């Protein structure tokens, strides 16, 4: 089963503060542990919301609001996608994360098509999307 592991930093990250080399080195050792264990599928850090936008759909019509988002109290600073055998294994990986200024990690299980009824699986099946994702995963630097 796949899990997204979100990291929620303190306010300094949203203000644009960059981590120091010591924190990055510790996090890279953790990322290497995930990779060596064969559970790491993807990971990325995120820029502050000041460099982002939200698209709201009021009455079905899109409305764009540029960041920063002053009402946001909990902002995702980055994520890992991991593939593990159980929720408990995902929690154990989260517990090992070398957090410093991060407030907390959140784990969310990712849906697989097999989680849906047959009619939803059929409606959600796209050869084009499958092939695109397969080619992206095989492409160097992706």
């Amino acid at each position: 089963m796949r899990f997204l592991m979100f990291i929620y930093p303190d306010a300094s990250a949203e203000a644009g503060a960059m981590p120091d080399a010591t924190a990055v080195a510790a996090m890279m050792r953790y990322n290497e542990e995930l990779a060596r264990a064969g559970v790491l599928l993807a990971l990325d850090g995120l820029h502050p919301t000041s460099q982002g936008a939200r698209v709201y759909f009021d009455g079905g019509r899109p409305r764009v609001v540029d960041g920063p988002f002053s009402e946001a109290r909990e902002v995702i600073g980055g994520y890992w996608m991991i593939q593990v055998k159980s929720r408990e294994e995902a929690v154990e990986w989260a517990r090992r994360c070398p957090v410093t200024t991060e407030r907390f990690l959140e784990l969310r299980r990712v849906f697989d098509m097999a989680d849906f009824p047959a009619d939803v699986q059929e409606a959600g099946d796209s050869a084009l999307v499958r092939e695109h994702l397969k080619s992206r995963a095989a492409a160097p630097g992706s």
Side-chain angles (χ1 to χ4, degrees):
M1 57 185 61
R2 293 175 300 152
F3 281 84
L4 271 172
M5 188 163 52
F6 298 105
I7 192 162
Y8 290 82
D10 68 10
S12 67
E14 184 61 14
M18 300 299 276
D20 65 30
T22 303
V24 170
M27 194 61 76
M28 196 49 60
R29 286 190 297 275
Y30 174 71
N31 295 340
E32 288 171 349
E33 281 185 62
L34 291 166
R36 275 193 296 277
V39 300
L40 181 63
L41 299 176
L43 73 157
D44 279 302
L46 303 174
H47 283 277
T49 64
S50 60
Q51 297 182 35
R54 288 184 178 169
V55 180
Y56 292 92
F57 292 89
D58 303 321
R61 303 184 77 168
R63 178 177 56 91
V64 177
V65 176
D66 292 328
F69 310 120
S70 59
E71 73 280 2
R73 292 182 313 206
E74 296 176 350
V75 176
I76 298 170
Y79 71 92
W80 296 262
M81 172 84 76
I82 59 174
Q83 182 145 13
V84 293
K85 292 179 177 67
S86 66
R87 178 184 174 277
E88 292 73 26
E89 184 181 356
V91 168
E92 282 308 309
W93 279 111
R95 288 176 154 206
R96 294 167 65 177
C97 186
V99 298
T100 53
T101 61
E102 293 75 16
R103 292 184 8 232
F104 62 94
L105 299 179
E106 177 182 343
L107 291 165
R108 300 280 306 273
R109 187 166 173 207
V110 176
F111 275 108
D112 289 313
M113 286 307 286
D115 296 328
F116 295 101
D119 62 329
V120 175
Q121 290 182 36
E122 186 178 330
D125 187 28
S126 169
L128 174 69
V129 171
R130 268 196 325 278
E131 289 305 312
H132 174 76
L133 293 174
K134 189 184 301 182
S135 69
R136 292 282 301 158
S142 59

